[in-house]
Coordinates of all heavy atoms in Angstrom, one line a residue:
G1 N 76.8 141.9 -39.9 CA 77.3 141.1 -41.0 C 76.6 141.3 -42.3 O 75.7 142.2 -42.4
W2 N 77.0 140.7 -43.3 CA 76.5 140.9 -44.7 C 75.0 140.5 -44.8 O 74.3 141.1 -45.6 CB 77.3 140.1 -45.7 CG 77.2 138.6 -45.6 CD1 78.2 137.9 -45.0 CD2 76.2 137.7 -46.0 NE1 77.8 136.5 -45.0 CE2 76.6 136.4 -45.7 CE3 75.0 137.9 -46.7 CZ2 75.9 135.3 -45.9 CZ3 74.2 136.8 -47.0 CH2 74.7 135.5 -46.6
R3 N 74.5 139.7 -43.9 CA 73.1 139.3 -44.0 C 72.1 140.4 -43.8 O 71.0 140.4 -44.3 CB 72.7 138.1 -43.0 CG 73.3 136.8 -43.4 CD 73.1 135.7 -42.3 NE 73.7 134.5 -42.8 CZ 74.9 134.1 -42.6 NH1 75.8 134.9 -42.1 NH2 75.3 132.9 -43.0
N4 N 72.6 141.4 -43.0 CA 71.7 142.6 -42.8 C 71.4 143.4 -44.1 O 70.5 144.2 -44.1 CB 72.3 143.5 -41.8 CG 72.4 142.9 -40.4 OD1 71.6 142.0 -40.0 ND2 73.4 143.2 -39.6
H5 N 72.3 143.2 -45.1 CA 72.2 143.9 -46.3 C 71.6 143.1 -47.5 O 71.6 143.6 -48.6 CB 73.6 144.5 -46.7 CG 74.2 145.3 -45.6 ND1 73.7 146.6 -45.3 CD2 75.1 145.0 -44.7 CE1 74.4 147.0 -44.3 NE2 75.3 146.1 -43.9
A6 N 71.2 141.9 -47.2 CA 70.8 140.9 -48.2 C 69.3 141.3 -48.7 O 68.5 141.6 -47.9 CB 70.8 139.6 -47.7
E7 N 69.2 141.2 -50.0 CA 67.9 141.5 -50.6 C 66.8 140.5 -50.1 O 65.6 140.7 -50.1 CB 68.0 141.4 -52.2 CG 68.7 142.5 -52.8 CD 68.0 143.8 -52.7 OE1 66.8 143.8 -52.9 OE2 68.7 144.9 -52.5
C8 N 67.3 139.3 -49.8 CA 66.4 138.2 -49.4 C 65.8 138.4 -47.9 O 65.0 137.6 -47.5 CB 67.0 136.8 -49.5 SG 68.5 136.6 -48.4
A9 N 66.4 139.2 -47.2 CA 66.1 139.3 -45.7 C 64.5 139.4 -45.5 O 64.1 138.7 -44.6 CB 66.8 140.5 -45.1
P10 N 63.8 140.2 -46.2 CA 62.4 140.3 -45.9 C 61.5 139.2 -46.6 O 60.3 139.1 -46.5 CB 62.0 141.6 -46.4 CG 62.9 141.9 -47.6 CD 64.2 141.2 -47.2
V11 N 62.1 138.3 -47.4 CA 61.5 137.3 -48.2 C 61.4 136.0 -47.4 O 62.3 135.6 -46.7 CB 62.2 137.0 -49.5 CG1 61.5 136.0 -50.4 CG2 62.4 138.3 -50.3
A12 N 60.2 135.3 -47.6 CA 60.0 134.0 -46.9 C 61.1 133.0 -47.2 O 61.4 132.9 -48.4 CB 58.7 133.4 -47.2
T13 N 61.7 132.4 -46.3 CA 62.8 131.4 -46.5 C 62.4 130.3 -47.6 O 63.2 130.0 -48.3 CB 63.2 130.7 -45.2 OG1 63.5 131.8 -44.2 CG2 64.4 129.9 -45.4
G14 N 61.2 129.9 -47.5 CA 60.8 128.8 -48.4 C 61.0 129.2 -49.9 O 61.1 128.3 -50.7
V15 N 61.0 130.5 -50.2 CA 61.2 130.9 -51.6 C 62.5 130.4 -52.1 O 62.7 130.1 -53.4 CB 61.1 132.4 -51.7 CG1 61.6 132.9 -53.1 CG2 59.7 132.9 -51.4
F16 N 63.5 130.2 -51.3 CA 64.8 129.8 -51.7 C 65.1 128.4 -51.6 O 66.2 127.9 -51.8 CB 65.9 130.6 -50.9 CG 65.7 132.1 -51.1 CD1 64.9 132.9 -50.3 CD2 66.3 132.7 -52.2 CE1 64.8 134.2 -50.5 CE2 66.1 134.1 -52.5 CZ 65.4 134.8 -51.6
F17 N 64.0 127.6 -51.4 CA 64.1 126.1 -51.4 C 63.0 125.5 -52.3 O 62.2 124.7 -51.8 CB 64.0 125.6 -50.0 CG 65.1 126.0 -49.1 CD1 65.2 127.2 -48.4 CD2 66.2 125.1 -49.0 CE1 66.3 127.5 -47.6 CE2 67.4 125.4 -48.3 CZ 67.3 126.7 -47.6
P18 N 63.0 125.9 -53.6 CA 62.0 125.4 -54.5 C 62.3 124.0 -54.9 O 63.4 123.5 -54.8 CB 62.1 126.4 -55.7 CG 63.6 126.7 -55.7 CD 63.9 126.8 -54.2
H19 N 61.3 123.3 -55.4 CA 61.5 122.0 -55.9 C 62.3 122.1 -57.2 O 62.2 123.0 -58.0 CB 60.1 121.3 -56.3 CG 59.3 121.0 -55.1 ND1 59.5 119.9 -54.3 CD2 58.2 121.7 -54.5 CE1 58.7 119.9 -53.3 NE2 57.9 121.0 -53.4
D20 N 63.2 121.2 -57.4 CA 64.1 121.2 -58.5 C 63.4 121.3 -59.9 O 64.0 121.8 -60.8 CB 65.1 120.0 -58.5 CG 66.1 120.0 -57.4 OD1 66.4 121.1 -56.9 OD2 66.6 118.9 -57.0
D21 N 62.2 120.7 -59.9 CA 61.5 120.7 -61.2 C 60.7 121.9 -61.4 O 60.0 122.0 -62.5 CB 60.7 119.4 -61.3 CG 59.7 119.2 -60.3 OD1 59.7 120.0 -59.3 OD2 58.8 118.4 -60.4
D22 N 60.6 122.8 -60.5 CA 59.9 124.0 -60.6 C 60.8 125.2 -61.1 O 61.3 126.0 -60.3 CB 59.2 124.4 -59.3 CG 58.2 125.5 -59.4 OD1 58.2 126.2 -60.4 OD2 57.5 125.7 -58.4
Q23 N 61.1 125.2 -62.4 CA 62.1 126.2 -62.9 C 61.6 127.6 -62.7 O 62.4 128.5 -62.4 CB 62.3 126.0 -64.4 CG 63.4 126.8 -65.0 CD 64.8 126.4 -64.3 OE1 65.1 125.3 -64.1 NE2 65.5 127.5 -63.9
A24 N 60.3 127.9 -62.7 CA 59.8 129.2 -62.5 C 60.1 129.7 -61.1 O 60.5 130.8 -60.9 CB 58.3 129.3 -62.7
A25 N 60.0 128.8 -60.1 CA 60.3 129.1 -58.7 C 61.8 129.3 -58.5 O 62.3 130.2 -57.8 CB 59.8 128.1 -57.8
V26 N 62.6 128.5 -59.2 CA 64.1 128.7 -59.1 C 64.5 130.0 -59.7 O 65.3 130.8 -59.1 CB 64.8 127.5 -59.9 CG1 66.3 127.8 -60.0 CG2 64.6 126.2 -59.1
D27 N 63.9 130.3 -60.9 CA 64.2 131.6 -61.5 C 63.8 132.8 -60.7 O 64.5 133.8 -60.6 CB 63.5 131.7 -62.9 CG 64.1 130.7 -63.9 OD1 65.2 130.2 -63.7 OD2 63.4 130.5 -65.0
Y28 N 62.7 132.7 -60.0 CA 62.2 133.7 -59.1 C 63.2 134.0 -58.0 O 63.6 135.1 -57.7 CB 60.8 133.5 -58.6 CG 60.3 134.5 -57.6 CD1 60.1 135.8 -58.0 CD2 60.2 134.2 -56.2 CE1 59.7 136.7 -57.1 CE2 59.8 135.1 -55.3 CZ 59.6 136.4 -55.7 OH 59.2 137.4 -54.8
A29 N 63.6 132.9 -57.3 CA 64.6 133.1 -56.3 C 65.9 133.7 -56.8 O 66.5 134.5 -56.1 CB 64.8 131.7 -55.6
K30 N 66.3 133.2 -57.9 CA 67.6 133.7 -58.5 C 67.4 135.2 -58.8 O 68.4 136.0 -58.7 CB 68.0 132.9 -59.7 CG 68.6 131.6 -59.4 CD 68.9 130.9 -60.7 CE 69.8 129.6 -60.5 NZ 70.3 129.1 -61.8
S31 N 66.2 135.6 -59.2 CA 66.0 137.0 -59.6 C 66.2 137.9 -58.4 O 66.6 139.1 -58.5 CB 64.6 137.2 -60.3 OG 63.6 137.2 -59.3
I32 N 65.8 137.4 -57.2 CA 66.0 138.2 -56.0 C 67.5 138.4 -55.7 O 68.0 139.4 -55.4 CB 65.3 137.5 -54.8 CG1 63.7 137.6 -55.0 CG2 65.6 138.2 -53.5 CD1 63.0 136.7 -54.1
C33 N 68.2 137.3 -55.9 CA 69.7 137.3 -55.7 C 70.4 138.2 -56.7 O 71.4 138.8 -56.4 CB 70.3 136.0 -55.8 SG 69.7 134.8 -54.6
A34 N 69.8 138.4 -57.9 CA 70.5 139.0 -59.0 C 70.9 140.5 -58.6 O 72.0 140.9 -59.0 CB 69.6 139.0 -60.2
G35 N 70.1 141.2 -57.9 CA 70.4 142.6 -57.6 C 70.9 142.8 -56.2 O 71.0 143.9 -55.7
C36 N 71.3 141.7 -55.5 CA 71.7 141.8 -54.1 C 73.1 142.3 -54.0 O 74.0 141.8 -54.6 CB 71.6 140.4 -53.5 SG 71.9 140.5 -51.7
P37 N 73.3 143.3 -53.1 CA 74.7 143.8 -53.0 C 75.6 142.9 -52.2 O 76.8 143.1 -52.2 CB 74.4 145.1 -52.2 CG 73.2 144.8 -51.4 CD 72.3 144.0 -52.3
V38 N 75.1 141.9 -51.6 CA 76.0 140.9 -50.9 C 75.9 139.5 -51.5 O 76.2 138.5 -50.8 CB 75.7 140.9 -49.3 CG1 76.0 142.2 -48.7 CG2 74.3 140.5 -49.1
R39 N 75.6 139.4 -52.7 CA 75.5 138.1 -53.4 C 76.8 137.3 -53.3 O 76.8 136.1 -53.1 CB 75.1 138.4 -54.9 CG 75.0 137.1 -55.7 CD 74.5 137.5 -57.1 NE 74.5 136.3 -57.9 CZ 74.3 136.2 -59.1 NH1 73.9 137.4 -59.7 NH2 74.2 135.1 -59.7
A40 N 77.9 137.9 -53.5 CA 79.2 137.2 -53.5 C 79.5 136.7 -52.2 O 79.9 135.5 -52.0 CB 80.4 138.1 -54.0
E41 N 79.2 137.5 -51.1 CA 79.5 137.0 -49.8 C 78.6 135.8 -49.4 O 79.0 134.9 -48.8 CB 79.3 138.1 -48.8 CG 80.3 139.2 -48.9 CD 80.0 140.4 -49.9 OE1 79.1 140.1 -50.8 OE2 80.7 141.3 -49.8
C42 N 77.3 135.9 -49.8 CA 76.3 134.8 -49.6 C 76.8 133.6 -50.3 O 76.8 132.5 -49.7 CB 75.0 135.3 -50.1 SG 73.7 134.0 -50.0
L43 N 77.2 133.7 -51.5 CA 77.7 132.5 -52.2 C 78.9 131.9 -51.6 O 79.0 130.7 -51.3 CB 78.0 132.9 -53.7 CG 78.7 131.8 -54.5 CD1 77.7 130.6 -54.7 CD2 79.0 132.3 -55.9
D44 N 79.9 132.7 -51.2 CA 81.1 132.2 -50.5 C 80.8 131.5 -49.2 O 81.3 130.5 -48.9 CB 82.1 133.3 -50.3 CG 82.7 133.8 -51.6 OD1 82.7 133.1 -52.6 OD2 83.3 134.9 -51.6
D45 N 79.9 132.1 -48.4 CA 79.6 131.5 -47.1 C 78.7 130.2 -47.2 O 78.7 129.5 -46.3 CB 78.8 132.5 -46.2 CG 79.8 133.5 -45.7 OD1 81.0 133.5 -45.9 OD2 79.3 134.5 -45.0
N46 N 78.1 130.1 -48.4 CA 77.2 128.9 -48.5 C 77.6 127.9 -49.6 O 76.8 127.2 -50.1 CB 75.8 129.4 -48.8 CG 75.2 130.0 -47.6 OD1 74.8 129.4 -46.6 ND2 75.1 131.4 -47.6
L47 N 78.9 128.0 -50.0 CA 79.4 127.2 -51.2 C 79.2 125.7 -50.9 O 78.9 125.0 -51.8 CB 80.8 127.5 -51.4 CG 81.4 127.2 -52.8 CD1 80.5 127.9 -53.9 CD2 82.8 127.6 -52.9
T48 N 79.2 125.3 -49.7 CA 79.0 123.8 -49.4 C 77.7 123.5 -48.8 O 77.5 122.4 -48.4 CB 80.1 123.4 -48.4 OG1 80.0 124.1 -47.2 CG2 81.6 123.5 -49.0
T49 N 76.8 124.5 -48.7 CA 75.4 124.2 -48.3 C 74.7 123.3 -49.3 O 74.7 123.6 -50.5 CB 74.6 125.5 -48.1 OG1 75.4 126.4 -47.2 CG2 73.2 125.3 -47.5
P50 N 74.2 122.2 -48.8 CA 73.6 121.2 -49.7 C 72.3 121.4 -50.4 O 71.9 120.6 -51.3 CB 73.6 119.9 -48.8 CG 73.3 120.4 -47.4 CD 74.1 121.8 -47.4
A51 N 71.6 122.5 -50.0 CA 70.3 122.7 -50.7 C 70.0 124.2 -50.7 O 70.6 125.0 -50.0 CB 69.2 122.0 -49.9
G52 N 69.1 124.6 -51.5 CA 68.6 125.9 -51.6 C 69.3 126.8 -52.6 O 70.3 126.4 -53.2
I53 N 68.8 128.0 -52.7 CA 69.4 129.0 -53.6 C 70.2 130.0 -52.8 O 69.6 130.5 -51.8 CB 68.3 129.8 -54.4 CG1 67.4 128.9 -55.2 CG2 69.0 130.8 -55.3 CD1 68.0 128.1 -56.3
Y54 N 71.5 130.1 -53.0 CA 72.3 131.0 -52.2 C 73.2 131.7 -53.2 O 73.8 131.0 -54.1 CB 73.2 130.3 -51.2 CG 72.4 129.7 -50.1 CD1 72.0 128.4 -50.0 CD2 72.1 130.5 -49.0 CE1 71.3 127.9 -48.9 CE2 71.4 130.0 -47.9 CZ 71.0 128.7 -47.9 OH 70.3 128.2 -46.8
G55 N 73.4 133.0 -53.1 CA 74.2 133.7 -54.0 C 73.8 133.6 -55.5 O 74.6 133.7 -56.4
G56 N 72.5 133.3 -55.7 CA 72.0 133.2 -57.0 C 72.3 131.8 -57.7 O 72.2 131.7 -58.9
H57 N 72.8 130.8 -56.9 CA 73.1 129.5 -57.5 C 72.3 128.4 -56.7 O 72.2 128.4 -55.5 CB 74.6 129.3 -57.3 CG 75.5 130.2 -58.1 ND1 75.7 131.5 -57.8 CD2 76.2 129.9 -59.2 CE1 76.5 132.0 -58.7 NE2 76.9 131.0 -59.6
T58 N 72.0 127.4 -57.5 CA 71.4 126.2 -56.9 C 72.5 125.4 -56.3 O 73.7 125.6 -56.5 CB 70.7 125.3 -58.0 OG1 71.7 124.9 -58.9 CG2 69.7 126.1 -58.7
A59 N 72.1 124.4 -55.5 CA 73.1 123.5 -54.9 C 74.0 122.8 -55.9 O 75.3 122.7 -55.8 CB 72.4 122.4 -54.0
R60 N 73.4 122.4 -57.0 CA 74.2 121.7 -58.1 C 75.2 122.7 -58.7 O 76.3 122.4 -59.0 CB 73.2 121.3 -59.2 CG 73.9 120.5 -60.3 CD 72.9 119.9 -61.3 NE 72.2 118.8 -60.6 CZ 70.9 118.6 -60.6 NH1 70.1 119.4 -61.4 NH2 70.3 117.6 -60.0
E61 N 74.7 124.0 -58.9 CA 75.6 125.0 -59.5 C 76.8 125.3 -58.6 O 77.9 125.5 -59.0 CB 74.8 126.2 -59.8 CG 73.9 126.1 -61.0 CD 72.9 127.1 -61.1 OE1 72.6 127.9 -60.1 OE2 72.3 127.3 -62.2
R62 N 76.4 125.4 -57.2 CA 77.5 125.6 -56.2 C 78.5 124.5 -56.2 O 79.7 124.8 -56.1 CB 76.9 125.9 -54.9 CG 76.2 127.2 -54.7 CD 75.8 127.5 -53.3 NE 75.1 126.5 -52.6 CZ 73.8 126.3 -52.6 NH1 73.0 127.0 -53.4 NH2 73.2 125.3 -51.9
D63 N 78.0 123.2 -56.4 CA 78.9 122.1 -56.4 C 79.9 122.2 -57.6 O 81.1 122.0 -57.4 CB 78.1 120.9 -56.5 CG 79.0 119.6 -56.3 OD1 79.8 119.5 -55.4 OD2 78.8 118.7 -57.2
R64 N 79.4 122.6 -58.8 CA 80.2 122.8 -59.9 C 81.2 123.9 -59.7 O 82.4 123.7 -60.0 CB 79.4 123.1 -61.2 CG 78.8 121.8 -61.8 CD 78.1 122.1 -63.1 NE 76.7 121.7 -62.9 CZ 75.7 122.4 -63.3 NH1 75.8 123.5 -64.0 NH2 74.5 122.0 -63.0
L65 N 80.8 125.0 -59.1 CA 81.7 126.1 -58.9 C 82.8 125.7 -57.9 O 84.0 126.0 -58.1 CB 80.9 127.3 -58.3 CG 81.7 128.5 -58.0 CD1 82.5 129.0 -59.2 CD2 80.7 129.6 -57.4
R66 N 82.4 125.0 -56.9 CA 83.4 124.5 -55.8 C 84.4 123.6 -56.5 O 85.7 123.8 -56.3 CB 82.6 123.7 -54.8 CG 83.5 123.4 -53.5 CD 82.7 122.9 -52.4 NE 81.9 121.7 -52.8 CZ 80.6 121.6 -52.9 NH1 79.8 122.6 -52.7 NH2 80.0 120.5 -53.2
R67 N 84.0 122.7 -57.4 CA 85.0 121.8 -58.1 C 85.9 122.6 -59.0 O 87.1 122.4 -59.1 CB 84.2 120.7 -58.9 CG 83.6 119.6 -58.0 CD 83.2 118.4 -58.8 NE 82.4 118.7 -60.0 CZ 81.0 118.7 -60.0 NH1 80.4 118.3 -58.9 NH2 80.3 119.0 -61.0
R68 N 85.3 123.6 -59.7 CA 86.1 124.5 -60.6 C 87.2 125.3 -59.8 O 88.3 125.3 -60.2 CB 85.2 125.4 -61.4 CG 85.9 126.2 -62.4 CD 85.0 127.0 -63.4 NE 84.0 127.7 -62.7 CZ 82.7 127.5 -63.0 NH1 82.2 126.7 -63.9 NH2 81.7 128.2 -62.3
R69 N 86.7 125.8 -58.7 CA 87.7 126.5 -57.8 C 88.8 125.6 -57.3 O 89.9 126.0 -57.3 CB 87.0 127.2 -56.6 CG 86.1 128.4 -57.0 CD 85.5 129.0 -55.7 NE 84.7 130.2 -56.1 CZ 84.2 130.9 -55.1 NH1 84.2 130.6 -53.9 NH2 83.4 132.0 -55.5
R70 N 88.4 124.4 -56.9 CA 89.5 123.5 -56.5 C 90.4 123.2 -57.6 O 91.7 123.1 -57.3 CB 88.8 122.2 -56.0 CG 89.6 121.3 -55.2 CD 88.9 120.1 -54.6 NE 87.8 120.5 -53.8 CZ 86.5 119.9 -54.0 NH1 86.4 118.9 -55.0 NH2 85.5 120.3 -53.3
R71 N 90.0 123.0 -58.8 CA 90.9 122.7 -59.9 C 91.8 123.9 -60.2 O 92.9 123.7 -60.6 CB 90.1 122.4 -61.2 CG 89.5 121.0 -61.2 CD 89.0 120.6 -62.6 NE 88.0 121.6 -63.2 CZ 86.7 121.5 -63.0 NH1 86.2 120.5 -62.3 NH2 85.9 122.4 -63.6
Q72 N 91.3 125.1 -60.0 CA 92.1 126.3 -60.2 C 93.0 126.6 -59.0 O 93.7 127.6 -59.1 CB 91.2 127.5 -60.4 CG 90.3 127.4 -61.7 CD 89.3 128.4 -61.8 OE1 89.0 129.2 -60.9 NE2 88.7 128.6 -63.0
G73 N 92.9 125.7 -58.0 CA 93.8 125.9 -56.8 C 93.3 127.0 -55.9 O 94.0 127.5 -55.0
R74 N 92.0 127.3 -55.9 CA 91.5 128.4 -55.1 C 90.7 127.8 -53.9 O 90.3 128.5 -53.1 CB 90.6 129.3 -55.9 CG 91.4 130.1 -56.9 CD 90.6 130.9 -57.9 NE 89.6 131.7 -57.2 CZ 88.5 132.3 -57.7 NH1 88.3 132.0 -59.0 NH2 87.7 133.0 -57.1
G75 N 90.5 126.5 -53.9 CA 89.8 125.9 -52.8 C 88.4 126.3 -52.7 O 87.8 126.7 -53.7
T76 N 87.8 126.2 -51.5 CA 86.4 126.6 -51.4 C 86.2 127.9 -50.6 O 85.1 128.3 -50.3 CB 85.6 125.5 -50.7 OG1 86.2 125.3 -49.4 CG2 85.6 124.2 -51.5
G77 N 87.3 128.5 -50.3 CA 87.3 129.8 -49.6 C 86.9 130.9 -50.4 O 86.5 130.8 -51.6
R78 N 86.9 132.1 -49.9 CA 86.6 133.3 -50.6 C 87.5 133.5 -51.7 O 88.7 133.4 -51.6 CB 86.6 134.5 -49.7 CG 85.5 134.5 -48.6 CD 85.6 135.7 -47.8 NE 84.6 135.7 -46.7 CZ 83.4 136.0 -46.8 NH1 82.9 136.4 -48.0 NH2 82.5 136.0 -45.9
P79 N 86.9 134.0 -52.9 CA 87.8 134.3 -54.0 C 88.7 135.6 -53.7 O 88.3 136.3 -52.8 CB 86.9 134.6 -55.1 CG 85.6 134.9 -54.5 CD 85.6 134.2 -53.2
N80 N 89.8 135.7 -54.4 CA 90.6 136.8 -54.3 C 89.8 138.1 -54.7 O 89.4 138.2 -55.8 CB 91.9 136.7 -55.2 CG 92.8 137.8 -55.1 OD1 92.5 138.9 -54.6 ND2 94.0 137.5 -55.5
P81 N 89.7 139.1 -53.7 CA 88.9 140.3 -54.1 C 89.4 141.0 -55.3 O 88.7 141.7 -56.0 CB 89.0 141.1 -52.8 CG 89.3 140.2 -51.7 CD 90.1 139.1 -52.4
A82 N 90.7 140.9 -55.5 CA 91.3 141.6 -56.7 C 90.8 141.0 -58.0 O 90.8 141.8 -59.0 CB 92.8 141.6 -56.6
R83 N 90.4 139.8 -58.0 CA 89.9 139.1 -59.2 C 88.4 139.4 -59.4 O 87.9 139.2 -60.5 CB 90.1 137.6 -59.1 CG 91.6 137.2 -59.2 CD 91.6 135.7 -59.2 NE 93.0 135.3 -59.4 CZ 93.3 134.0 -59.5 NH1 92.5 133.1 -59.5 NH2 94.6 133.7 -59.7
R84 N 87.7 139.7 -58.4 CA 86.2 139.9 -58.5 C 85.9 141.2 -59.2 O 86.3 142.2 -58.8 CB 85.6 139.9 -57.1 CG 84.2 139.9 -57.1 CD 83.6 139.9 -55.7 NE 84.1 138.8 -54.9 CZ 84.1 138.8 -53.6 NH1 83.6 139.8 -52.9 NH2 84.6 137.8 -52.9
S85 N 85.2 141.0 -60.3 CA 84.9 142.1 -61.2 C 83.4 142.7 -60.9 O 83.1 143.7 -61.4 CB 85.0 141.8 -62.6 OG 84.1 140.7 -63.0
G86 N 82.6 141.9 -60.1 CA 81.3 142.4 -59.9 C 80.6 141.4 -59.0 O 81.3 140.5 -58.4
P87 N 79.3 141.5 -58.8 CA 78.6 140.5 -57.9 C 78.7 139.1 -58.4 O 78.8 138.9 -59.6 CB 77.2 141.1 -58.0 CG 77.1 142.3 -58.8 CD 78.5 142.5 -59.4
G88 N 78.6 138.2 -57.5 CA 78.8 136.7 -57.7 C 78.0 136.3 -58.9 O 78.1 135.4 -59.6

């Protein structure tokens, strides 16, 4: 699966669960996601996960994205690959 290709695979899991008020830690986790070749897949699979950094997004950011997709009639499933112009 896509997890075998994730940039975060060798990184300690705790890195992706920083305290909300630790912006440097959040930015560090997001920086790992930034160059990940499976970022979009990670985001799509974890769109409803309530905590942590997934696909380069915090839980709050994923919630906003989920609501935006719902308003656009796309639900919470995977986006149309034809619309995807690059990594998540």
